């Protein structure tokens, strides 16, 4: 029987809406066999997720999704099988938390100038004392009636050229990959079809990613249309990279999320789990 993998998901430790415990229970209910929790820039939810997984028939993979700035573009690098007790990785990620907090305050100031008050306080309350991200602002603005859904908030308030946009300075690509490798993990370029860069620049990114020690491209992602899956599969094979699959699940309210029923990898891809040794 084939094994059902989902190697990219979020919890309340970053910008997901389910706790790590609830996420694992939901993964079990949709018959996922191997699940990775990959919260943005934090290892906070991993111990809780592992503890719940230990009580169910599911294999848990500890992960992280690190925010990177490369050529003025925000890139996400997923780390899988990272040692989540690594103090070194924790320390590196703490640096990004400082920037996140400063950025959140700055988003609050900028939105206030635009007539939207207390957005920082609102977003912070929704983050429950955990890491704060733009999704928390999006949820707060929806609650306050500034838009009908989170996507609309991003479009009208949080992206470049809009009132609440703050330019980001995340980790360097080579650093994020090195942190993951040092913590014993494998580095995967997340949703490569989502970046607003042309094919030539994407090829440059993929080449560099491999040179720096990255091992896989996320070929199947909720961010990828069918044609993007095929393009990424070809790119992975051409650059001799492995292929990964992940829903990028954040919120059960978003119906487009295919949690538990991701498409299979296109023929010819070498799955990232080829040497993991999991059987069913
Ligand atoms: P941050 O790391 O705080 O800048 O936030 C990035 C996160 O915002 C992504 O991981 C998504 O969860 C969310 N996001 C980004 N763009 C959109 C969008 N257009 N609609 C909904 N959520 C988005
Ligand atoms: Mn997110
Ligand atoms: Mn991402
Ligand atoms: Mn993600």
């Amino acid at each position: 029987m084939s094994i059902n993998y989902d190697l990219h998901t979020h919890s309340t430790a970053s910008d997901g809406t389910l706790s790590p415990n609830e996420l694992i229970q939901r993964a079990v209910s949709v018959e996922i066999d191997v699940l990775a929790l990959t919260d943005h820039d934090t290892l906070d939810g991993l111990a809780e997720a592992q503890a719940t997984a230990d009580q169910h028939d599911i294999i848990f993979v500890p992960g992280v999704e690190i925010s990177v700035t490369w050529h003025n573009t925000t890139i996400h690098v997923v780390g899988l099988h990272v040692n989540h007790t690594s103090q070194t990785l924790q320390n590196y990620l703490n640096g990004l938390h400082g920037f996140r907090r400063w950025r959140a305050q700055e988003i609050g100031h900028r939105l206030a100038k635009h007539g939207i008050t207390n957005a920082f306080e609102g977003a912070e309350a929704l983050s429950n004392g955990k890491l704060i991200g733009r999704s928390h602002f999006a949820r707060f603005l929806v609650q306050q009636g500034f838009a009908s859904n989170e996507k609309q908030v991003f479009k009208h308030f949080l992206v470049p050229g809009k009132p609440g946009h703050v330019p980001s300075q995340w980790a360097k690509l080579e650093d994020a990959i090195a942190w993951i490798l040092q913590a014993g993990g494998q580095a995967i370029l997340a949703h490569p079809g989502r970046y607003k860069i042309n094919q030539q620049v994407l090829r440059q990114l993929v080449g560099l990613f491999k040179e720096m020690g990255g091992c896989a491209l996320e070929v199947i992602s909720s961010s990828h249309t069918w044609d993007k899956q095929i393009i990424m599969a070809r790119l992975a094979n051409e650059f001799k990279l492995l292929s990964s699959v992940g829903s990028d699940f954040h919120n059960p309210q978003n119906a487009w999320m295919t949690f538990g029923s991701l498409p299979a990898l296109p023929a010819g891809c070498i799955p990232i789990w080829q040497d993991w040794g999991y059987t069913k």
Side-chain angles (χ1 to χ4, degrees):
M1 231 159 63
S2 74
I3 300 182
N4 191 3
Y5 289 87
D6 189 333
L7 302 175
H8 184 157
T9 67
H10 296 273
S11 76
T12 47
S14 67
D15 59 0
T17 59
L18 299 183
S19 68
N21 174 42
E22 290 165 336
L23 176 77
I24 296 292
Q25 295 199 26
R26 197 174 181 95
V28 170
S29 74
V30 298
E31 298 181 346
I32 289 170
D33 300 304
V34 179
L35 181 105
L37 175 60
T38 55
D39 271 310
H40 298 286
D41 307 323
T42 184
L43 309 173
D44 259 15
L46 299 177
E48 180 184 318
Q50 181 71 67
T52 305
D54 287 346
Q55 293 167 7
H56 292 88
D57 189 17
I58 188 167
I59 294 171
F60 179 66
V61 175
V64 64
E65 180 175 19
I66 302 182
S67 311
V68 161
T69 302
W70 180 76
H71 289 200
N72 286 324
T73 303
T74 298
I75 301 290
H76 287 170
V77 179
V78 161
L80 294 179
H81 284 121
V82 291
N83 169 6
H84 58 285
T85 61
S86 160
Q87 195 55 49
T88 322
L89 178 56
Q90 187 66 64
N91 291 343
Y92 290 133
L93 296 176
N94 284 345
L96 297 179
H97 298 177
F99 172 70
R100 275 192 178 273
R101 200 156 179 84
W102 173 85
R103 181 188 67 159
Q105 285 163 343
E106 189 61 26
I107 292 174
H109 294 317
R110 293 187 189 201
L111 288 175
K113 281 191 202 146
H114 194 69
I116 300 173
T117 52
N118 295 323
F120 171 72
E121 290 76 7
E124 192 184 33
L126 288 171
S127 73
N128 285 315
K130 303 277 187 184
L131 171 143
I132 188 163
R134 285 185 296 164
S135 297
H136 300 110
F137 283 89
R139 276 168 217 152
F140 178 70
L141 266 63
V142 170
Q143 281 180 9
Q144 297 294 303
F146 289 102
S148 56
N149 60 52
E150 291 176 33
K151 215 177 167 64
Q152 291 297 316
V153 180
F154 274 89
K155 188 172 170 198
H156 295 293
F157 299 99
L158 299 177
V159 295
K162 299 300 171 181
H165 176 254
V166 177
S168 290
Q169 202 55 62
W170 300 113
K172 287 188 187 150
L173 182 62
E174 60 266 43
D175 290 346
I177 296 169
W179 301 346
I180 290 166
L181 298 183
Q182 278 172 35
Q186 291 171 287
I188 296 104
L189 185 62
H191 41 64
R194 193 162 110 187
Y195 307 123
K196 291 195 171 55
I197 53 181
N198 66 34
Q199 281 300 307
Q200 196 188 338
V201 178
L202 179 61
R203 296 175 70 82
Q204 191 193 346
L205 170 63
V206 171
L208 272 173
F209 182 76
K210 175 162 176 147
E211 261 175 55
M212 292 170 178
C215 78
L217 296 188
E218 205 170 68
V219 169
I220 302 293
S221 163
S222 298
S223 303
H224 290 169
T225 51
W226 180 82
D227 54 325
K228 285 272 167 78
Q229 294 172 14
I230 301 298
I231 292 168
M232 298 314 149
R234 287 201 186 123
L235 210 53
N237 290 342
E238 181 188 335
F239 282 86
K240 301 209 174 349
L241 287 160
L242 303 172
S243 296
S244 189
V245 304
S247 62
D248 208 357
F249 176 84
H250 283 72
N251 181 351
Q253 254 83 57
N254 287 351
W256 53 273
M257 287 293 182
T258 45
F259 196 46
S261 52
L262 288 172
L265 280 170
C269 289
I270 303 171
I272 184 157
W273 55 81
Q274 70 159 357
D275 295 328
W276 291 0
Y278 299 151
T279 53
K280 189 164 159 179

